[in-house]
């Protein structure tokens, strides 16, 4: 049950364009409150959207932050949040993948929705249960994959009608692998790009504030300029790298110095160059 005070940061400290946050919020609010008043034929809103983007761009975090935000609006009624790791559903056992998908979409989730609260569901790695039937990878039985994907499609249609108080956010960093019929059921796709220069600076600033630093703003802006192409997760991990790479004589809670951050940046750049060369 949400809200959960700690979760405010999944919204406030994940830096994406304001427009993305606004659209996410409006979409979820519309689906949770207004959708039930529309006919599924007149306005086929399935209550499912996709967040796509490279690893570490904030997809899963934003959905949690969004759920928390919606819950603070829902008042006393509360809001339920469920997280599903789709990666756990496919099985080597013939027929099990399909059974697991049916169980999730036609039993577990409708049962949650029946409790009457608004429900936000995060399904991570959706490509593993809505796999493109024409692209089933080697080692998997194509008939089994097709059956599991068909079960997912049917399950979504079932949920659209049976659970108008539920909104599902699926995430993927491998959207090429998703079945076209699944894509066509999505209400919206949210694209999360790698952070631009301004966003990188904001993330770096935030991560440095977490550990403490004596770097002034000019120094932070300069360092951020060297981090092009990194995801939000990479940027925060780089600051962590700077913390653990410092001289052992430095106190653990001493603020990070500019030089220490640059040592971590240079180490990262050298590794990247070496990787590119091999
Ligand atoms: N846009 C961002 N702004 C600030 N921090 C970010 C951002 N994106 C990611 N992070 C940091 O990286 C962490 C991991 O992000 P998250 O798990 O939400 O990424 P993801 O897109 O779901 O990644 P994956 O595709 O690997 O599941 C966050 O908790 C946060 O610390
Ligand atoms: Mg994720």
């Amino acid at each position: 049950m949400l809200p959960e005070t700690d979760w405010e940061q999944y919204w406030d400290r994940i830096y994406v364009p304001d427009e993305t946050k606004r659209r996410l919020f409006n979409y979820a609010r519309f689906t949770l409150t207004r959708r039930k008043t529309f006919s599924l034929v007149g306005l086929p809103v399935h209550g499912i959207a996709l967040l796509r983007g490279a690893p570490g761009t904030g997809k899963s975090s934003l959905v949690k932050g969004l759920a928390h935000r919606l819950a603070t609006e829902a008042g006393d009624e509360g809001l339920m949040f469920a997280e599903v790791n789709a990666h756990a559903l496919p099985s080597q056992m013939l027929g099990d993948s399909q059974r697991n998908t049916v169980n999730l979409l036609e039993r577990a989730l409708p049962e949650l929705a029946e409790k009457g609260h608004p429900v936000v569901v995060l399904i991570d790695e959706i490509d593993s249960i809505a796999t493109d039937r024409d692209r089933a990878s080697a080692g998997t039985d194509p008939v089994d994959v097709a059956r599991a994907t068909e079960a997912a499609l049917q399950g979504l249609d079932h949920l659209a009608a049976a659970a108008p108080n539920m909104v599902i956010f699926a995430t993927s960093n491998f959207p090429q692998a998703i079945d076209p019929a699944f894509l066509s059921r999505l209400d919206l796709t949210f694209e999360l790009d790698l952070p631009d220069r301004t966003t990188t600076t904001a993330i770096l600033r935030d991560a440095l504030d977490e550990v403490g630093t004596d770097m002034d703003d000019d120094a932070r802006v300069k360092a951020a300029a060297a981090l092009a192409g990194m995801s939000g997760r990479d940027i925060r991990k780089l600051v962590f790298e700077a913390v653990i790479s410092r001289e052992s004589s430095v106190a653990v809670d001493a603020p990070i110095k500019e030089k220490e951050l640059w040592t971590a940046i240079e180490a990262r750049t050298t590794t990247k160059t070496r990787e590119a060369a091999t």
Side-chain angles (χ1 to χ4, degrees), residues 1-265:
M1 290 300 297
L2 295 177
E4 181 81 59
T5 322
D6 259 11
W7 283 32
E8 190 73 40
Q9 51 185 330
Y10 286 125
W11 191 253
D12 291 344
R13 298 180 77 183
I14 298 296
Y15 298 86
V16 296
D18 286 346
E19 196 205 338
T20 306
K21 284 190 179 171
R22 193 170 58 241
R23 290 182 70 230
L24 270 171
F25 190 81
N26 288 344
Y27 166 69
R29 195 157 56 171
F30 177 90
T31 357
L32 289 175
T33 57
R34 296 282 320 280
R35 179 158 65 105
K36 48 181 166 292
T37 63
F38 289 97
S39 134
L40 254 179
V41 181
L43 199 69
V45 177
H46 271 81
I48 177 158
L50 177 72
L51 277 77
R52 43 186 265 182
T57 44
K59 302 180 292 297
S60 309
S61 305
L62 266 183
V63 176
K64 289 184 182 169
L66 172 65
H68 166 81
R69 269 297 160 98
L70 292 161
T72 55
E73 281 213 335
D76 296 341
E77 195 194 346
L79 175 146
M80 295 180 96
F81 174 76
E83 188 170 358
V84 179
N85 183 357
H87 202 64
L89 297 175
S91 159
Q92 296 294 333
M93 299 279 289
L94 206 64
D96 261 12
S97 312
Q98 180 189 7
R99 248 188 309 277
N100 291 343
T101 306
V102 171
N103 267 333
L104 172 73
L105 299 177
E106 298 197 28
R107 287 204 197 103
L109 292 183
E111 270 171 28
L112 263 190
E114 269 169 25
K115 297 187 198 293
H117 298 277
V119 191
V120 175
V121 180
L122 164 62
I123 306 185
D124 265 325
E125 300 191 49
I126 191 73
D127 38 276
S128 47
I129 55 167
T131 313
D132 186 346
R133 287 161 284 183
D134 289 337
R135 286 180 53 127
S137 55
T140 50
D141 177 345
V143 177
D144 215 33
V145 169
R147 286 207 183 112
T149 300
E150 275 143 25
L153 299 176
Q154 201 180 329
L156 287 180
D157 288 341
H158 174 82
L159 269 179
N165 55 329
M166 177 177 278
V167 62
I168 300 177
F169 289 95
T171 76
S172 174
N173 45 42
F174 193 41
Q176 313 85 296
I178 301 178
D179 193 78
F182 176 87
L183 293 176
S184 114
R185 279 165 173 75
L186 295 170
D187 299 330
L188 284 174
T189 297
F190 294 90
E191 202 73 52
L192 293 191
D193 296 322
L194 288 171
D196 61 14
R197 174 82 75 90
T198 318
T199 313
T200 300
T201 312
I203 300 172
L204 180 66
R205 223 180 250 138
D206 184 293
L208 286 168
D209 284 342
E210 180 78 30
V211 293
T213 181
D214 57 10
M215 288 171 66
D216 64 20
D217 211 52
D218 276 353
R220 298 180 197 207
V221 171
K222 210 164 117 219
L227 308 183
M230 284 194 184
S231 69
R233 183 190 281 140
D234 290 339
I235 298 165
R236 291 185 187 276
K237 292 239 188 241
L238 182 86
V239 170
F240 177 66
E241 177 72 34
V243 172
I244 57 125
S245 309
R246 58 214 316 215
E247 305 281 326
S248 45
S249 57
V250 178
V252 275
D253 52 356
I256 285 283
K257 293 192 180 316
E258 187 174 2
K259 186 168 152 280
E260 292 167 339
L261 184 67
W262 276 102
T263 308
I265 295 175

